[in-house]
Amino acid sequence: MPVTFVIIGAGSRGMTYSQYAKHYPDDMQIVGVADCRTLRAQRAQKTFNIPDSHVFSDWRDVAAVEKFADAAIIATQDKDHKEPAVALAKKGYHILLEKPMATTEEDCLEIVSCCKENSVLLAVCHVLKYTPQAMKIKELIDCGAIGQVVNIQHLEPIGFWHYGHSYVRGNWRREDESSFCLMTKSCHDLDLICYWMGRSKCVKVSSFGQLTHFTKEHKPEGAANRCLDCKVEKECPYSAVKLYLNQVKQGNTHWPVDVVVDIPDIESVTEALRTGPYGRCVYDCDNDVVTHQVVNLQFDQGQTVSFTMVAFTESVCRREVKVHGTMGELTCKFGGPVYQYDFRTRKMITHSPELSNAPAGLSGHGGADYRTIRSFLKALQTGDSSLLSTGPEESLRSHLLVFAAEKARKENRVISLSL
Ligand SMILES: NC(=O)c1ccc[n+]([C@@H]2O[C@H](COP(=O)([O-])OP(=O)(O)OC[C@H]3O[C@@H](n4cnc5c(N)ncnc54)[C@H](O)[C@@H]3O)[C@@H](O)[C@H]2O)c1
């Protein structure tokens, strides 16, 4: 029997995980959808052949009727995770929850305790844990390939245009509307760091960072408020004409263009750039989240970790990591091999993680989107929650670390903790 699901928020992420049902109908079936954007609810209804009675315009309507599926994919925006997660867990739905779990510590704690109390499985979509590189690094650390881990350096390069799209013009540009950048962008990375550090607990954290460049003071002379009207747009790397309109002209109607309008074509995108948030000058927006941040962590055996996230990179989200152990070191640029240098033999070993065999629509994050939903399904089918790398305890732990790091940045101090 397939595990049945209701999609809560049939946007970009909700529809991604749901593709699994198309490829493996014996394992997964989508039997309901809730989305306040009618077009999106209809798109999901058509894709998965959902009966009219199970198409809703709000998650609250799903919570109001009798439970009709085994599990819910909650992929609404960041601030709208806690309420549906708690309401649907109370109804007995198992929960696949997009990251971040929630935007306050209290809400994260409530979600975890509510899922426990109602004996439902909770998995958080920390997809990066399921990338072949992250898994290989974990395996090498755990088998002692580099001795004791002493230090990790981890970089998250956001990508200059991606930052402009999501964090200056887009959904994650303001803390009051979503959350702070370390949470919205880098909770994945701190989660990975905790994963690699295993049983070691983080005991101290400090952090620095700020918003720079994407402010009114940096607006070039002669620039207009919208790229379509701008005389200097051609010289601007963040031009919305280049990022969206020219993409459509070249036939690319996928991300990020499909975030601008549901059905992208030259007319609809032009209109959206004329009137909507994505046509705004990046120096004249209402953004307030940081463009760069460093986090320093000390673990309980004296191990140190430094994490950097930065907007101003060519690379888009292709993480780089170095793990320094007493007997060797690991280096990896995600997407490529993991290199292990062994101090004993003075030789380099190249580990090429298996290429993703993810089916169409699920190959995002190096196939990790596919492995995330597959692990959740397997855990549900077998009742074995140890199949999840992103269960409630570890996800809560890394979220609490993210909150602590941001507090350290805002309060300009070192915070002691026991996570
Ligand atoms: N795991 C990852 O790597 C990853 C990547 C990108 C985004 N995300 C997270 O996934 C979540 C969704 O992001 P997205 O890009 O898919 O967003 P999206 O805006 O494309 O989708 C969210 C959907 O929720 C719907 N919605 C809003 N209120 C609702 C309500 N009351 N009831 C039902 N539906 C409602 C919206 O209409 C929209 O279609 C966010 O929290 C985001 O931070 C995770």
Side-chain angles (χ1 to χ4, degrees):
M1 283 286 282
V3 180
T4 54
F5 279 80
V6 53
I7 313 172
I8 304 294
S12 161
R13 301 302 300 167
M15 286 302 277
T16 296
Y17 300 116
S18 303
Q19 294 309 313
Y20 198 96
K22 278 276 176 218
H23 298 285
Y24 305 98
D26 293 342
D27 282 337
M28 180 183 189
Q29 196 185 350
I30 305 293
V31 296
V33 61
D35 200 301
C36 45
R37 286 165 77 164
T38 313
L39 231 109
R40 291 188 168 189
Q42 284 172 347
R43 176 182 63 179
Q45 176 175 28
K46 201 166 152 212
T47 309
F48 301 107
N49 202 15
I50 300 170
D52 287 345
S53 57
H54 286 167
V55 179
F56 303 90
S57 58
D58 196 299
W59 64 263
R60 291 170 187 84
D61 302 330
V62 177
V65 299
E66 205 167 306
K67 177 174 180 268
F68 61 84
D70 301 312
I73 296 172
I74 300 185
T76 39
Q77 278 299 340
D78 304 349
K79 283 233 183 271
D80 303 318
H81 286 181
K82 182 246 171 166
E83 282 192 61
V86 165
L88 296 179
K90 282 184 180 164
K91 300 241 13 158
Y93 287 91
H94 299 290
I95 306 286
L96 181 68
L97 180 60
E98 253 308 351
K99 52 62 46 180
M101 297 171 81
T103 56
T104 66
E105 286 188 46
E106 296 71 31
D107 286 355
C108 293
L109 288 161
E110 191 177 337
I111 292 171
V112 171
S113 67
C114 181
C115 288
K116 263 193 204 152
E117 275 161 28
N118 290 280
S119 306
V120 297
L121 205 68
L122 168 67
V124 178
C125 298
H126 274 142
V127 292
L128 289 192
K129 258 186 185 157
Y130 290 105
T131 55
Q133 288 75 15
M135 292 192 293
K136 180 52 82 180
I137 291 169
K138 174 74 174 158
E139 181 193 316
L140 291 168
I141 290 174
D142 284 359
C143 74
I146 56 163
Q148 297 298 311
V149 172
V150 173
N151 169 268
I152 297 180
Q153 294 168 22
H154 186 72
L155 169 73
E156 185 192 9
I158 298 182
F160 68 99
W161 61 262
H162 174 214
Y163 186 90
H165 167 70
S166 292
Y167 303 93
V168 181
R169 297 184 173 114
N171 289 332
W172 297 279
R173 71 192 186 282
R174 289 181 65 87
E175 185 168 344
D176 61 353
E177 287 185 13
S178 62
S179 188
F180 49 93
C181 205
L182 197 68
M183 181 56 85
T184 59
K185 191 72 188 95
S186 310
C187 69
H188 280 309
D189 300 277
L190 293 198
D191 186 66
L192 274 184
I193 288 164
C194 291
Y195 176 54
W196 291 326
M197 292 304 287
R199 284 169 200 270
S200 276
K201 289 181 185 327
C202 181
V203 290
K204 278 185 194 172
V205 57
S206 69
S207 181
F208 304 95
Q210 65 181 68
L211 165 63
T212 189
H213 193 64
F214 298 110
T215 59
K216 296 197 188 339
E217 304 83 71
H218 292 94
K219 190 169 177 176
E221 228 179 284
N225 292 352
R226 289 197 170 266
C227 299
L228 283 178
D229 309 322
C230 186
K231 287 197 203 88
V232 296
E233 166 272 322
K234 287 203 166 40
E235 289 85 60
C236 178
Y238 305 100
S239 153
V241 175
K242 288 180 192 153
L243 182 50
Y244 308 113
L245 205 50
N246 292 356
Q247 290 295 315
V248 187
K249 286 181 183 163
Q250 287 160 23
N252 173 20
T253 52
H254 299 295
W255 186 82
V257 183
D258 62 355
V259 177
V260 177
V261 280
D262 279 331
I263 305 172
D265 56 33
I266 292 175
E267 287 71 37
S268 62
V269 172
T270 305
E271 181 55 21
L273 298 194
R274 196 166 284 133
T275 55
Y278 293 96
R280 294 181 294 176
C281 171
V282 288
Y283 303 103
D284 219 344
C285 287
D286 55 350
N287 55 309
D288 63 9
V289 299
V290 302
T291 42
H292 55 297
Q293 185 163 358
V294 293
V295 178
N296 285 325
L297 307 164
Q298 185 174 321
F299 281 73
D300 54 7
Q301 304 297 311
Q303 313 96 311
T304 53
V305 175
S306 59
F307 167 68
T308 297
M309 76 88 167
V310 58
F312 305 100
T313 60
E314 176 195 1
S315 174
V316 178
C317 302
R318 195 169 169 200
R319 272 84 171 172
E320 293 174 37
V321 61
K322 290 184 181 173
V323 185
H324 303 280
T326 50
M327 292 294 149
E329 66 184 357
L330 304 175
T331 51
C332 176
K333 201 166 173 182
F334 274 44
V338 177
Y339 297 102
Q340 174 194 351
Y341 184 78
D342 190 317
F343 299 158
R344 292 158 290 206
T345 59
R346 300 199 175 194
K347 291 218 165 95
M348 184 73 89
I349 306 166
T350 303
H351 301 273
S352 300
E354 270 176 46
L355 284 176
S356 155
N357 54 354
L362 280 159
S363 58
H365 300 105
D369 289 350
Y370 162 69
R371 284 184 221 101
T372 301
I373 178 75
R374 188 183 60 178
S375 302
F376 185 61
L377 271 166
K378 296 286 170 225
L380 282 178
Q381 285 166 333
T382 58
D384 180 1
S385 59
S386 71
L387 294 173
L388 294 174
S389 303
T390 59
E393 302 304 338
E394 49 275 62
S395 299
L396 181 61
R397 181 176 160 218
S398 62
H399 275 69
L400 294 180
L401 183 55
V402 176
F403 285 116
E406 184 64 358
K407 193 169 176 189
R409 181 185 78 85
K410 284 189 174 150
E411 296 180 7
N412 196 21
R413 67 186 176 97
V414 176
I415 290 188
S416 296
L417 54 155
S418 174
L419 292 173

